[in-house]
Amino acid sequence: MFMGEYHHNIDEKGRLIMPSKFRDALGDSFIVTRGMDSCLFVYPKESWDNLTNELNQLSFTKKDVRAFQRFFLSGATMCEFDKQGRINITTPLASYASLSKECVIIGVNDRIEIWAKEKFDSFLDENIENISDIAERLFEV
């Protein structure tokens, strides 16, 4: 399970340090792709395989399935760490998530999310007052 919040800068070559606590769990190679809410999702290979197996069960004849698969899979890229524990974020992915300097890297259960700091701060500001109501709706008995 991934959890925690870390702040690192992306450099001009698109390299971002991944927190050491996440590196071991990600393994030698992992997948980075477009996520929801204008952030990037990072999956260990096993989690990615499980997710794509679920996507393969959906009917491609449905317009929403095709749209989601195009969005989610077209940006996906296999990554590895360099010797300094950095990953290289492709230009299209960095552009999608508006990554230019300060980044927030968070653990979210089965995945890691990479956010532009400004976007993550906005997300928190927009949701902080409603989090009790959200929790109540999600955990209603």
Side-chain angles (χ1 to χ4, degrees):
M1 177 203 277
F2 295 104
M3 60 184 179
E5 177 180 325
Y6 304 88
H7 295 249
H8 291 283
N9 290 334
I10 190 168
D11 70 14
E12 64 282 346
K13 294 181 180 178
R15 297 175 300 193
L16 178 67
I17 293 173
M18 187 62 64
S20 60
K21 290 187 177 186
F22 292 162
R23 287 184 220 150
D24 289 337
L26 284 172
D28 293 333
S29 61
F30 48 92
I31 290 75
V32 179
T33 193
R34 290 183 200 100
M36 307 297 114
D37 305 312
S38 299
C39 71
L40 302 181
F41 286 176
V42 182
Y43 290 96
K45 185 79 171 78
E46 184 178 342
S47 295
W48 178 257
D49 291 343
N50 292 337
L51 181 58
T52 56
N53 285 336
E54 287 183 41
L55 287 174
N56 287 335
Q57 302 304 311
L58 302 174
S59 175
F60 76 92
T61 61
K62 294 183 179 180
K63 186 176 183 178
D64 285 346
V65 171
R66 293 190 310 272
F68 182 77
Q69 287 178 335
R70 287 177 188 133
F71 168 81
F72 197 65
L73 299 174
S74 67
T77 184
M78 184 78 69
C79 289
E80 296 177 348
F81 295 111
D82 68 9
K83 292 177 183 175
Q84 286 78 38
R86 299 175 299 193
I87 62 172
N88 190 25
I89 307 290
T90 64
T91 301
L93 290 177
S95 178
Y96 167 76
S98 303
L99 304 178
S100 60
K101 186 72 174 160
E102 293 181 76
C103 297
V104 179
I105 305 163
I106 61 172
V108 186
N109 198 15
D110 70 334
R111 71 178 179 274
I112 296 165
E113 294 181 356
I114 301 172
W115 290 77
K117 184 180 183 315
E118 302 81 27
K119 288 190 180 271
F120 188 69
D121 289 346
S122 293
F123 167 80
L124 290 177
D125 290 344
E126 291 169 13
N127 290 284
I128 197 72
E129 290 184 21
N130 301 321
I131 203 68
S132 292
D133 294 335
I134 292 169
E136 186 175 318
R137 286 192 304 273
L138 290 176
F139 295 101
E140 284 180 317
V141 180

